[in-house]
Amino acid sequence: MSTSAQTSAPPGLATRQEWLAILARTPRACMKDALDTALDGVSPPEFDWLRTPDIGLAMVRGRVGGTGDAFNLGEVTVTRATLRLRVHEGRAAVGIAVHMGRDKERATLAALADALLQTPAFEARMHEHLLAPLAARIAENRAQKQARAAGTKVEFFTMVRGD
């Protein structure tokens, strides 16, 4: 499967990179509810594991001042999984998931969602009932955090004495 086929999306729909970021930021309960809604009345195709959910460590890197030299900040726990849908409409989509934390079920749900998003029979339904609500939830949470942070903003100024 070519990279362009994996990342291209119809206008107005998320690319694979965007939807993987959404899936990586979504808690398990929200993802499970959204996936259940998206698959309401439809059974998902069966899949085979290419990499069962496993837990490991990843090095997190930072930059001095946000833009300077890179340095190793520390390690975080990550869970990853890879699955392949059984042949569906002539192609077997491969779904991947990687997220911070130790939640194997969440990795399974995200990998399944990724694979279904690449399957023409499920693509539109998944974008509408899974990605759109999850992206809206993430945007709302981000806006709430920014509003709370803005309330603590302190503006410093210097008074000049007129000697």
Side-chain angles (χ1 to χ4, degrees), residues 47-103:
F47 61 85
D48 297 310
W49 287 112
L50 298 178
R51 173 180 287 135
T52 58
D54 62 340
I55 298 167
L57 295 173
M59 180 61 67
V60 177
R61 297 186 48 95
R63 292 201 171 270
V64 176
T67 58
D69 294 334
F71 64 95
N72 292 338
L73 184 62
E75 293 178 330
V76 294
T77 306
V78 295
T79 305
R80 65 182 181 175
T82 307
L83 57 81
R84 179 183 7 227
L85 295 180
R86 296 207 175 132
V87 177
H88 187 73
E89 295 182 11
R91 72 178 235 209
V94 174
I96 61 169
V98 178
H99 65 84
M100 289 195 310
R102 303 174 57 90
D103 192 341

Side-chain angles (χ1 to χ4, degrees), residues 9-134:
L13 298 181
T15 64
R16 188 168 188 212
Q17 181 178 2
E18 293 167 338
W19 80 56
L20 286 172
I22 291 168
L23 296 173
R25 290 180 176 93
T26 302
R28 177 186 355 147
C30 294
M31 189 174 322
K32 183 164 180 32
D33 292 344
L35 195 56
D36 288 344
T37 301
L39 294 175
D40 188 33
V42 178
S43 60
E46 295 180 1
F47 61 85
D48 297 310
W49 287 112
L50 298 178
R51 173 180 287 135
T52 58
D54 62 340
I55 298 167
L57 295 173
M59 180 61 67
V60 177
R61 297 186 48 95
R63 292 201 171 270
V64 176
T67 58
D69 294 334
F71 64 95
N72 292 338
L73 184 62
E75 293 178 330
V76 294
T77 306
V78 295
T79 305
R80 65 182 181 175
T82 307
L83 57 81
R84 179 183 7 227
L85 295 180
R86 296 207 175 132
V87 177
H88 187 73
E89 295 182 11
R91 72 178 235 209
V94 174
I96 61 169
V98 178
H99 65 84
M100 289 195 310
R102 303 174 57 90
D103 192 341
K104 292 181 178 183
E105 183 181 351
R106 179 178 166 203
T108 301
L109 294 170
L112 179 59
D114 177 39
L116 291 172
L117 280 157
Q118 298 173 63
T119 306
F122 292 95
E123 181 181 21
R125 173 185 289 237
M126 297 297 287
H127 276 280
E128 180 182 350
H129 297 290
L130 180 84
L131 286 184
L134 295 179

